[in-house]
Amino acid sequence: MIFQKRTHTCGELRIENEHQEVTLNGWISVLRDMGGLIFIDLRDRYGITQLVIEPSETPELAEKSKELKSEFVIWAKGIVRKRENPNPKIPTGLIEILINDFEIINRSELPPFEIKDDLETSEELRLRYRYLDLRRQSLQKNFIARHKLYQTVHSYFDSMGFIEVETPVLMKSTPEGARDFLVPSRINKGRFYALPQSPQIFKQILMISGFDRYVQIVKCFRDEDLRSDRQPEFTQIDIEMSFINREDIFQLIEGLFQKIWKDILNLEISIPFPRLSYYEAMTRFGSDKPDTRFQMEIVTITDIVKNCQFKVFTDTINSGGEVALINAKGCAGFSRKKLDELTEFAKKYGAMGLAWMKLQNGEINSPISKFFNTNELDSIIAASNTEEGDLLLIISSNKLRCYTVLGALRNEIAKQTGIIQNISNKFSFLWVTDFPLLEFDDEEKRYVSMHHPFTSPMDEDLALLEKQPERVRAKAYDIVVNGAEIGGGSIRIHDGSVQSRIFSLLGMSQSEAEAKFGFLLDALKFGAPPHGGIALGLDRIVMTLCGTENIRDVIAFPKTTSGLSLMDGAPTFVDEKQLTELGIKLINS
Amino acid sequence: MIFQKRTHTCGELRIENEHQEVTLNGWISVLRDMGGLIFIDLRDRYGITQLVIEPSETPELAEKSKELKSEFVIWAKGIVRKRENPNPKIPTGLIEILINDFEIINRSELPPFEIKDDLETSEELRLRYRYLDLRRQSLQKNFIARHKLYQTVHSYFDSMGFIEVETPVLMKSTPEGARDFLVPSRINKGRFYALPQSPQIFKQILMISGFDRYVQIVKCFRDEDLRSDRQPEFTQIDIEMSFINREDIFQLIEGLFQKIWKDILNLEISIPFPRLSYYEAMTRFGSDKPDTRFQMEIVTITDIVKNCQFKVFTDTINSGGEVALINAKGCAGFSRKKLDELTEFAKKYGAMGLAWMKLQNGEINSPISKFFNTNELDSIIAASNTEEGDLLLIISSNKLRCYTVLGALRNEIAKQTGIIQNISNKFSFLWVTDFPLLEFDDEEKRYVSMHHPFTSPMDEDLALLEKQPERVRAKAYDIVVNGAEIGGGSIRIHDGSVQSRIFSLLGMSQSEAEAKFGFLLDALKFGAPPHGGIALGLDRIVMTLCGTENIRDVIAFPKTTSGLSLMDGAPTFVDEKQLTELGIKLINS
């Protein structure tokens, strides 16, 4: 295929190039035959340039142009000239190319949807024809941002003395938490590799090897039942450091985000980020990933109402629960219907019900106000800073549930009242710290790690490990922006005996711990340094930077929530022969 | 764990720091109790610093130091002072730290081998304790070089306008060439993902999407019976560009290697690299990846000997074969035994035998010289530039075999005579171009792609495609350094009809082509730009930079040739339950 190679891209020419002869290559975006003039918008990754054919001057080109259709690939040569009608919306809008020659390089069938932004077509069709979908500039800009993010990450960590090391993709299966994807071994039949859920153990091994500072942008895999914001393969920025405490991680990561926001959005974000303990995050915002772009903090009124006449509250309090509320400012006008919907919403999150009070015309309007004396009501009003027109939403429940329901209500009210929309271009980072080390899993009837089994307990809580495991706090931390967790990490256990105690607390027998994690326990015997790290969710960071809630907008070839790649049809059935070679067969064959 | 954090690394302190109080963290490398003084070499990734305890001054530290052993992790605080006996071999060799306090941070059992370079221990033991093996500075320097390589690659391609895009790891199985690793899908039981042997089709799709310039450092997977220089997972630098010809790729990649060699080895390499056609590489060097650091080119003497009396030669020539030789300069002294060994060597590569001639004392010494007249002998001597003391090794065989055997002999002689050793610090790059598009696979009784099925034929050979497929040349190219292929690529097919012709030439029915590559054929219908690219073997490049022949020296957690990870034991048996969830079972269970 001989074609005339471009001298410039379609995003490059300016008025300064007037009178130059140039050649462009690209796709036909829009074609308009105005009779006296034929206009072609030629598109490539870099932009759009208007081409013009003057039928009176070049009738043979005009004739040839009748063959052209949308998405044809052409080369075109011509002279840059000033436009009579400039288009101020595009950088090349002051010029056009009067073309004196062109050829079709490749043809296109009629695309199943138009290549334009703000597309009204099903995501399914777009994923099926992903190569056309990806031609849209609104998607391409996400991948350019993603590319810039890689660059910033690579150069930042290099400047901080980190070494990028690749950890294996074919590794050992150590299911703990989510399910592993398995890969049958042909050479060692009957045995399986697993794809990494995270390179956690390998990065700890690298610290034990003395690598001191490790970073990797790495694909991780989880065989979960997918939610709309999850993908079976996702990308994390994986970091580990030796001879540090968590403050070193905080500073490192704050510097990173400062640089990312500057490089990509040209925004200054201020550091250090606020630090909230898990306890504080839960009791003030009802979430371990609070959206701190707005207030509406939770107010605990247990003490105020503990002697009230409302039995629902006092019963809850007497059995160790809490009563707390949020003040939905200016929402006293909410209809009964809306309040019923909010009650249903609260129930979905596990509440038994939702109590409310409105301050309207200077009076408290509430189905339950009669159960409280003036003192109690005044105290509630004062504690929640309630003003005329406000609506209080009150939950009484066991501690954890009381706060998580209010946390969910808080986000819901912010969404319904337009608060979220008004702050969509704000970024509010914070650290959540001091997580509990363990949580009791009611299904498995045992303690499970809240972070992962390699997380160090707080030194001062070590003595509680076997006695009151639920009270032990971890040296774990999450980084949160705008209500989304974008990373989590911890100081790790570097003492083999502590690691063994944790495995045993998690219900692992010694032989089981040996079989699964023996190589880590071995490695801890040979001089492991104190170390810790973090893993940041790269896909989620790109989503935040690009302002999209759809993870498929930032992954070039994503899977559906059923794990399908609609473009190529993966996963597919394979030859019996391939399976036989692997020593496996399908269960119902 | 509370420990005093380092103020400096173990590679950082110099005579300028004299009198400063510093704290170091690290591993005990060497411990020497000289009675009057106790010396500790403290090691981290950055270097080694000598610590000193003076028992007369700090008897309690001397006492405490008796607990210390190799590979213990400690913190130590003290004052930098000038050494009485400087060690010029290490950058910190002018100073030592007179320590006034230290504590053990973590203990170590006796390591199964000493942590030092030039280690005399089995690779198996080293891989089993990879975390200790990786503490050796000779290995760490490889990973630091590897890290620098990533940095150079990322910044180079960014500066050239490339976008890094991640392609899927869980993709469709399209076995063509090597075997795929398969991943059973739990959500879609009975169906499988495959791990990518290369992101070939995805990068072409990205070009069809208009991404224009794509780069990715990407893990690839091949389920092959492993050779010593192969790994089931390996890393490639994957590149694709639109609207270009192969000259653009050559320039891009030459610039890349120039920058890599400058950044990492501080060496200037000259560009452009020589370009040899496949035909020329084979007939001059007997290899499509010739080591051009040394001469010893192949001399074809078919024309000279076509009428000689040696029937072996004339029979070969009459049936279309060739006679050719290499001149092993100064090797006339080779013994009969050594020549017999070389004959065996040649037979291993498929030769029927090996003829030889020596020029000794002005006379030709050869078992076959009697079959040639003076004219023929003189012509052989002249053509091969033979001088006193030279040895000619002559092969007659069918064309391909004649040259490949001589190519192997050429490398072998270079190894045996010390030529290779003398040029081990030289780097000789070249491009090999114009590969045949197809080769006939005698086992499968069909044509197979020499590169891959997406490689474009030369435009001028398109007409031969169905008539004389073996004569069609491809727009394919390899980059070779010092006799190793470090990358290969091609201009791709962007015309769907040509792609279909190739699939059919490869013996694929239309429905088979649709099933396997339908999505590519579809994509080619919607305006595919001309495009091409290359994939560079990152592991091999690091090996070249670090001067190692062992791929496991440049991969942090490599597998053995049986696909085992000796450190963690992967692959392992997994629970029946895990397999049942995936809808598969073992064949003999």
Side-chain angles (χ1 to χ4, degrees):
Chain A
M1 177 77 221
I2 309 298
F3 66 94
Q4 294 215 12
K5 273 170 52 181
R6 62 188 168 202
T7 55
H8 297 78
T9 70
C10 297
E12 198 174 352
L13 293 166
R14 298 287 182 276
I15 194 68
E16 292 73 36
N17 301 97
E18 202 182 350
H19 309 309
Q20 285 181 19
E21 183 171 76
V22 299
T23 302
L24 300 186
N25 300 157
W27 285 262
I28 292 180
S29 181
V30 177
L31 198 65
R32 279 160 299 155
D33 189 342
M34 316 290 275
L37 290 173
I38 298 164
F39 292 105
I40 300 169
D41 282 354
L42 198 68
R43 188 194 67 232
D44 66 13
R45 182 187 112 197
Y46 311 94
I48 286 182
T49 300
Q50 177 167 292
L51 313 181
V52 199
I53 296 171
E54 291 189 346
S56 56
E57 297 292 315
T58 52
E60 72 293 351
L61 292 185
E63 185 56 31
K64 202 159 70 168
S65 78
K66 288 183 179 153
E67 256 197 285
L68 295 177
K69 295 209 174 71
S70 268
E71 301 308 315
F72 274 33
V73 184
I74 65 167
W75 66 260
K77 187 153 80 173
I79 307 291
V80 181
R81 72 179 189 189
K82 201 171 157 183
R83 269 207 214 187
E84 283 194 22
N85 299 305
N87 177 352
K89 286 188 204 150
I90 57 173
T92 61
L94 291 182
I95 58 97
E96 62 189 8
I97 318 293
L98 178 64
I99 69 181
N100 52 41
D101 201 3
F102 81 89
E103 290 288 348
I104 294 170
I105 301 179
N106 214 346
R107 287 157 199 275
S108 172
E109 293 186 0
L110 183 69
F113 50 81
E114 223 183 313
I115 313 298
K116 63 167 192 182
D117 295 338
D118 304 315
L119 195 58
E120 297 268 346
T121 193
S122 75
E123 188 174 23
E124 199 177 317
L125 193 69
R126 288 172 38 205
L127 290 175
R128 161 91 179 76
Y129 293 93
R130 187 62 165 176
Y131 36 89
L132 299 178
D133 196 26
L134 286 173
R135 281 188 195 162
R136 297 190 299 124
Q137 304 223 335
S138 59
L139 270 187
Q140 293 202 347
K141 82 167 176 30
N142 294 353
F143 292 97
I144 291 170
R146 189 169 175 128
H147 165 75
K148 284 188 190 156
L149 176 59
Y150 298 134
Q151 289 291 319
T152 296
V153 171
H154 288 307
S155 67
Y156 178 77
F157 284 101
D158 181 59
S159 76
M160 306 297 276
F162 282 72
I163 296 182
E164 197 178 327
V165 181
E166 289 179 70
T167 51
V169 176
L170 296 171
M171 56 170 264
K172 179 180 179 166
S173 178
T174 54
E176 176 70 18
R179 282 189 202 83
D180 283 333
F181 278 104
L182 294 183
V183 184
S185 165
R186 182 180 54 85
I187 300 180
N188 303 281
K189 285 201 182 45
R191 294 160 77 172
F192 292 78
Y193 302 101
L195 303 184
Q197 295 187 31
S198 114
Q200 181 60 34
I201 300 184
F202 286 102
K203 66 177 175 173
Q204 293 190 232
I205 293 280
L206 286 171
M207 294 304 103
I208 297 173
S209 301
F211 273 74
D212 206 71
R213 299 183 153 213
Y214 146 91
V215 69
Q216 187 184 193
I217 296 181
V218 62
K219 273 277 177 75
C220 298
F221 305 85
R222 268 181 215 159
D223 185 12
E224 292 175 305
D225 297 308
L226 302 177
R227 300 200 314 246
S228 70
D229 65 341
R230 290 282 176 88
Q231 286 281 312
E233 54 181 294
F234 55 96
T235 304
Q236 74 187 33
I237 305 169
D238 200 46
I239 295 147
E240 198 78 7
M241 300 169 82
S242 291
F243 300 116
I244 51 113
N245 56 35
R246 76 179 185 189
E247 199 52 47
D248 297 285
I249 300 280
F250 291 173
Q251 285 174 24
L252 176 80
I253 300 304
E254 286 164 355
L256 172 68
F257 278 104
Q258 203 171 36
K259 187 154 166 34
I260 292 172
W261 255 247
K262 181 70 192 164
D263 286 357
I264 297 177
L265 299 179
N266 198 24
L267 285 179
E268 306 286 349
I269 54 175
S270 68
I271 58 170
F273 300 155
R275 285 123 206 232
L276 279 188
S277 71
Y278 171 81
Y279 178 84
E280 213 182 337
M282 293 305 291
T283 53
R284 285 175 54 194
F285 301 98
S287 169
D288 59 359
K289 40 179 195 281
D291 189 338
T292 49
R293 286 175 297 177
F294 62 99
Q295 302 289 315
M296 213 194 298
E297 291 195 19
I298 295 168
V299 181
T300 300
I301 56 168
T302 307
D303 276 350
I304 298 174
V305 301
K306 65 184 174 214
N307 299 315
C308 75
Q309 300 302 310
F310 192 43
K311 216 170 157 303
V312 174
F313 286 2
T314 50
D315 283 357
T316 301
I317 294 169
N318 291 334
S319 57
E322 302 274 0
V323 182
L325 60 80
I326 53 170
N327 177 352
K329 300 296 287 180
C331 295
F334 273 21
S335 66
R336 194 62 194 233
K337 181 159 169 281
K338 200 153 194 174
L339 288 166
D340 286 346
E341 283 166 7
L342 287 174
T343 306
E344 285 314 305
F345 180 90
K347 284 182 175 170
K348 226 176 59 193
Y349 283 84
M352 298 296 289
L354 173 67
W356 54 265
M357 292 185 178
K358 294 175 173 178
L359 189 59
Q360 283 178 311
N361 308 319
E363 292 196 359
I364 291 178
N365 164 7
S366 166
I368 62 167
S369 54
K370 57 187 174 213
F371 298 113
F372 303 91
N373 62 34
T374 317
N375 218 342
E376 285 163 344
L377 287 176
D378 285 350
S379 298
I380 292 173
I381 295 301
S384 57
N385 195 20
T386 303
E387 297 166 311
E388 174 67 21
D390 289 354
L391 165 71
L392 303 182
L393 300 171
I394 313 171
I395 296 286
S396 69
S397 184
N398 74 54
K399 196 161 181 165
L400 185 63
R401 184 154 296 163
C402 174
Y403 291 113
T404 50
V405 173
L406 283 168
L409 278 169
R410 178 177 175 270
N411 288 334
E412 182 63 18
I413 295 293
K415 212 179 294 173
Q416 290 195 11
T417 56
I419 291 177
I420 288 287
Q421 290 78 340
N422 286 335
I423 54 176
S424 65
N425 57 348
K426 272 178 68 175
F427 298 98
S428 180
F429 291 85
L430 77 153
W431 291 101
V432 179
T433 67
D434 301 6
F435 281 85
L437 183 69
L438 303 160
E439 51 190 348
F440 196 78
D441 185 313
D442 289 324
E443 263 176 52
E444 300 207 31
K445 303 264 178 263
R446 65 173 181 99
Y447 284 102
V448 295
S449 299
M450 197 145 170
H451 193 56
H452 58 53
F454 316 109
T455 303
S456 176
M458 296 263 189
D459 300 318
E460 54 271 41
D461 294 353
L462 258 179
L464 299 172
L465 212 44
E466 282 80 11
K467 281 176 268 172
Q468 293 184 284
E470 71 285 354
R471 283 195 50 204
V472 176
R473 290 162 306 159
K475 295 183 184 169
Y477 33 80
D478 277 356
I479 181 163
V480 172
V481 64
N482 297 0
E485 182 212 320
I486 51 170
S490 62
I491 301 299
R492 326 299 184 183
I493 297 165
H494 68 278
D495 178 329
S497 67
V498 174
Q499 186 64 70
S500 292
R501 282 166 72 190
I502 298 291
F503 285 148
S504 132
L505 259 178
L506 297 174
M508 249 183 257
S509 71
Q510 205 176 329
S511 65
E512 201 181 340
E514 271 302 326
K516 277 188 181 171
F517 301 111
F519 68 106
L520 174 64
L521 291 171
D522 277 355
L524 290 173
K525 290 175 188 157
F526 292 100
H531 62 287
I534 194 167
L536 305 171
L538 188 136
D539 306 301
R540 171 60 67 178
I541 296 171
V542 182
M543 286 165 68
T544 307
L545 289 167
C546 295
T548 174
E549 285 298 314
N550 184 349
I551 193 172
R552 290 176 295 279
D553 283 350
V554 300
I555 292 180
F557 301 101
K559 308 235 171 6
T560 65
T561 46
S562 336
L564 300 175
S565 171
L566 297 181
M567 183 181 74
D568 56 27
T572 56
F573 296 101
V574 299
D575 283 352
E576 192 74 23
K577 179 169 158 259
Q578 277 178 281
L579 298 185
T580 308
E581 279 192 328
L582 297 174
I584 60 171
K585 59 181 173 182
L586 302 183
I587 276 180
N588 39 12
S589 74
Chain B
M1 174 79 220
I2 309 296
F3 66 94
Q4 295 216 11
K5 272 170 52 180
R6 62 188 170 203
T7 55
H8 297 78
T9 70
C10 296
E12 197 174 352
L13 293 166
R14 298 286 183 276
I15 194 67
E16 293 73 35
N17 302 96
E18 204 181 349
H19 310 308
Q20 286 181 18
E21 184 170 77
V22 299
T23 303
L24 300 187
N25 300 158
W27 285 262
I28 293 179
S29 180
V30 177
L31 198 65
R32 277 160 301 154
D33 188 342
M34 317 291 275
L37 290 172
I38 297 164
F39 293 105
I40 299 168
D41 283 353
L42 197 68
R43 189 196 66 233
D44 65 14
R45 181 187 113 196
Y46 311 93
I48 285 182
T49 300
Q50 178 166 289
L51 313 179
V52 200
I53 297 170
E54 290 190 346
S56 56
E57 298 292 316
T58 51
E60 72 293 351
L61 291 185
E63 185 57 30
K64 201 161 69 169
S65 78
K66 288 183 180 154
E67 254 196 287
L68 296 177
K69 294 210 175 69
S70 270
E71 301 307 317
F72 274 34
V73 184
I74 65 167
W75 65 261
K77 186 153 79 171
I79 308 290
V80 180
R81 73 179 187 190
K82 201 171 155 181
R83 269 206 214 187
E84 284 194 22
N85 301 304
N87 177 353
K89 285 188 206 150
I90 56 173
T92 62
L94 290 182
I95 59 96
E96 61 190 11
I97 318 292
L98 179 64
I99 71 180
N100 52 40
D101 200 3
F102 81 89
E103 291 289 348
I104 294 171
I105 301 178
N106 213 346
R107 286 156 201 277
S108 172
E109 292 187 1
L110 184 67
F113 51 82
E114 224 182 310
I115 312 298
K116 64 166 191 180
D117 295 337
D118 306 315
L119 195 59
E120 297 267 347
T121 194
S122 74
E123 189 175 21
E124 200 178 315
L125 193 69
R126 288 170 39 205
L127 289 176
R128 162 92 179 74
Y129 293 94
R130 186 62 165 176
Y131 38 86
L132 299 177
D133 195 27
L134 286 173
R135 281 187 194 163
R136 298 190 298 123
Q137 305 222 333
S138 58
L139 270 187
Q140 293 202 347
K141 81 167 175 34
N142 294 352
F143 292 98
I144 291 169
R146 190 171 173 125
H147 165 75
K148 285 188 189 155
L149 176 59
Y150 298 135
Q151 289 290 319
T152 296
V153 171
H154 289 307
S155 66
Y156 179 76
F157 284 101
D158 181 57
S159 76
M160 306 298 277
F162 282 73
I163 296 182
E164 200 177 325
V165 180
E166 289 180 70
T167 52
V169 176
L170 296 171
M171 54 169 264
K172 178 179 181 169
S173 179
T174 53
E176 176 69 19
R179 282 189 201 83
D180 284 333
F181 278 105
L182 293 182
V183 183
S185 166
R186 180 179 56 84
I187 299 179
N188 303 281
K189 284 201 185 38
R191 295 161 75 171
F192 292 79
Y193 301 101
L195 304 183
Q197 295 187 29
S198 116
Q200 181 60 38
I201 300 184
F202 286 103
K203 65 178 173 172
Q204 293 190 231
I205 293 281
L206 286 171
M207 293 305 104
I208 297 173
S209 302
F211 274 74
D212 206 68
R213 301 184 150 211
Y214 146 91
V215 68
Q216 186 183 193
I217 296 182
V218 61
K219 275 278 178 72
C220 299
F221 305 85
R222 270 181 214 160
D223 185 10
E224 292 175 304
D225 297 308
L226 301 178
R227 300 201 313 246
S228 68
D229 65 339
R230 291 281 178 89
Q231 287 280 313
E233 55 182 291
F234 55 96
T235 305
Q236 74 188 29
I237 306 167
D238 200 45
I239 295 148
E240 199 78 7
M241 301 168 83
S242 293
F243 300 115
I244 51 115
N245 56 36
R246 76 179 185 191
E247 198 53 45
D248 297 286
I249 300 281
F250 291 173
Q251 285 175 23
L252 176 82
I253 299 304
E254 286 164 355
L256 172 68
F257 278 103
Q258 202 171 39
K259 187 154 167 35
I260 291 172
W261 254 247
K262 181 70 192 165
D263 286 359
I264 297 176
L265 300 179
N266 198 24
L267 284 179
E268 306 286 349
I269 55 176
S270 68
I271 58 169
F273 301 155
R275 285 125 205 229
L276 280 187
S277 71
Y278 171 80
Y279 179 83
E280 211 180 341
M282 293 305 291
T283 54
R284 286 175 53 191
F285 301 98
S287 169
D288 59 0
K289 41 178 192 282
D291 190 339
T292 49
R293 285 174 299 177
F294 62 99
Q295 302 289 315
M296 212 192 299
E297 291 194 19
I298 294 168
V299 180
T300 301
I301 56 168
T302 307
D303 276 349
I304 299 174
V305 302
K306 65 182 175 217
N307 299 316
C308 75
Q309 299 302 311
F310 191 43
K311 212 168 158 311
V312 174
F313 285 6
T314 49
D315 281 357
T316 301
I317 293 169
N318 290 333
S319 58
E322 301 273 359
V323 182
L325 60 80
I326 55 169
N327 178 353
K329 299 298 285 180
C331 293
F334 273 21
S335 66
R336 192 62 193 232
K337 181 160 169 285
K338 199 150 192 176
L339 289 167
D340 286 346
E341 284 167 8
L342 288 175
T343 306
E344 285 313 305
F345 180 90
K347 285 181 176 169
K348 226 176 58 193
Y349 282 84
M352 299 297 287
L354 173 67
W356 54 264
M357 293 183 179
K358 294 174 172 179
L359 188 59
Q360 281 178 313
N361 307 320
E363 293 198 357
I364 291 179
N365 164 7
S366 165
I368 60 164
S369 54
K370 58 187 174 210
F371 298 114
F372 303 90
N373 63 34
T374 316
N375 216 339
E376 286 163 345
L377 288 175
D378 285 352
S379 298
I380 292 174
I381 296 301
S384 57
N385 195 20
T386 305
E387 297 166 310
E388 176 67 22
D390 288 356
L391 166 70
L392 303 182
L393 300 171
I394 313 170
I395 295 286
S396 69
S397 184
N398 74 54
K399 199 161 176 163
L400 185 64
R401 184 156 295 162
C402 174
Y403 291 113
T404 51
V405 173
L406 283 167
L409 277 169
R410 178 177 175 270
N411 287 335
E412 181 64 17
I413 295 292
K415 212 180 291 172
Q416 289 195 12
T417 56
I419 291 177
I420 289 288
Q421 291 77 340
N422 286 334
I423 53 176
S424 65
N425 58 349
K426 274 178 66 175
F427 298 97
S428 181
F429 290 85
L430 77 154
W431 291 101
V432 179
T433 66
D434 301 6
F435 281 84
L437 182 70
L438 303 160
E439 51 190 348
F440 196 79
D441 186 313
D442 288 324
E443 263 177 52
E444 300 208 29
K445 303 260 179 268
R446 65 172 181 102
Y447 285 101
V448 295
S449 299
M450 198 145 170
H451 194 56
H452 58 51
F454 317 109
T455 304
S456 175
M458 295 263 190
D459 300 318
E460 55 271 42
D461 294 353
L462 259 179
L464 298 171
L465 212 46
E466 283 80 12
K467 282 176 263 171
Q468 293 183 285
E470 71 284 354
R471 284 194 49 202
V472 175
R473 290 163 304 160
K475 293 183 185 170
Y477 33 80
D478 277 356
I479 182 164
V480 173
V481 64
N482 298 358
E485 183 212 317
I486 51 171
S490 61
I491 300 300
R492 326 300 184 183
I493 297 166
H494 67 279
D495 177 330
S497 67
V498 175
Q499 187 63 70
S500 292
R501 282 166 72 189
I502 298 291
F503 285 149
S504 133
L505 260 178
L506 296 174
M508 247 183 256
S509 71
Q510 206 176 327
S511 66
E512 203 181 337
E514 270 303 324
K516 278 187 179 172
F517 301 112
F519 67 106
L520 175 64
L521 292 172
D522 277 354
L524 290 173
K525 289 175 190 159
F526 291 100
H531 62 289
I534 193 167
L536 305 171
L538 188 135
D539 306 300
R540 171 60 67 175
I541 295 171
V542 183
M543 286 165 69
T544 306
L545 289 167
C546 295
T548 176
E549 286 297 313
N550 185 348
I551 193 171
R552 289 176 295 281
D553 284 351
V554 301
I555 292 180
F557 301 102
K559 310 241 173 359
T560 65
T561 47
S562 336
L564 301 174
S565 171
L566 297 179
M567 183 181 77
D568 56 28
T572 56
F573 296 101
V574 299
D575 284 353
E576 192 74 22
K577 179 170 158 261
Q578 277 179 279
L579 298 186
T580 306
E581 278 191 330
L582 297 174
I584 60 170
K585 59 181 171 182
L586 301 183
I587 276 180
N588 39 13
S589 75

